[in-house]
Amino acid sequence: MNTKEIIYNYYHGWVDNDREKVMSLLDPDLKFRSPKDSFDNASDFLEYCWKFAEGFDVFNVQHEVFSDDSCYIVYGS
């Protein structure tokens, strides 16, 4: 899978409420930073964030940039 396919499948995992699929697409050593949260591994990130999974029925992507091994995506409601 290329980067764009991974992200596409990741978002669909959230929309489909498929936690196992989402976890399988995350690097175990994930580093996540936002203005409100900070996580240093995929397990902690998903443990905290999964409580919001029921609220996702679509991701409204506003901007996306892909490279071979990374991406930057802005989405909103």
Side-chain angles (χ1 to χ4, degrees):
M1 265 189 284
N2 65 36
T3 305
K4 194 168 191 172
E5 291 169 328
I6 292 168
I7 298 303
Y8 176 86
N9 284 305
Y10 176 81
Y11 284 153
H12 279 273
W14 281 90
V15 171
D16 296 340
N17 203 23
D18 187 343
R19 183 179 178 148
E20 190 173 308
K21 179 179 187 176
V22 170
M23 187 63 176
S24 75
L25 294 165
L26 293 174
D27 184 316
D29 297 323
L30 169 138
K31 304 286 186 237
F32 177 88
R33 303 291 181 262
S34 78
K36 294 184 179 183
D37 299 304
S38 176
F39 302 97
D40 291 316
N41 61 66
S43 294
D44 290 348
F45 168 78
L46 198 55
E47 182 65 31
Y48 176 79
C49 294
W50 196 253
K51 62 187 170 193
F52 303 109
E54 289 184 15
F56 288 106
D57 56 359
V58 68
F59 275 86
N60 294 314
V61 176
Q62 298 170 349
H63 183 72
E64 55 187 8
V65 177
F66 294 94
S67 71
D68 289 339
D69 64 355
S70 65
C71 66
Y72 171 82
I73 298 173
V74 176
Y75 64 90
S77 52

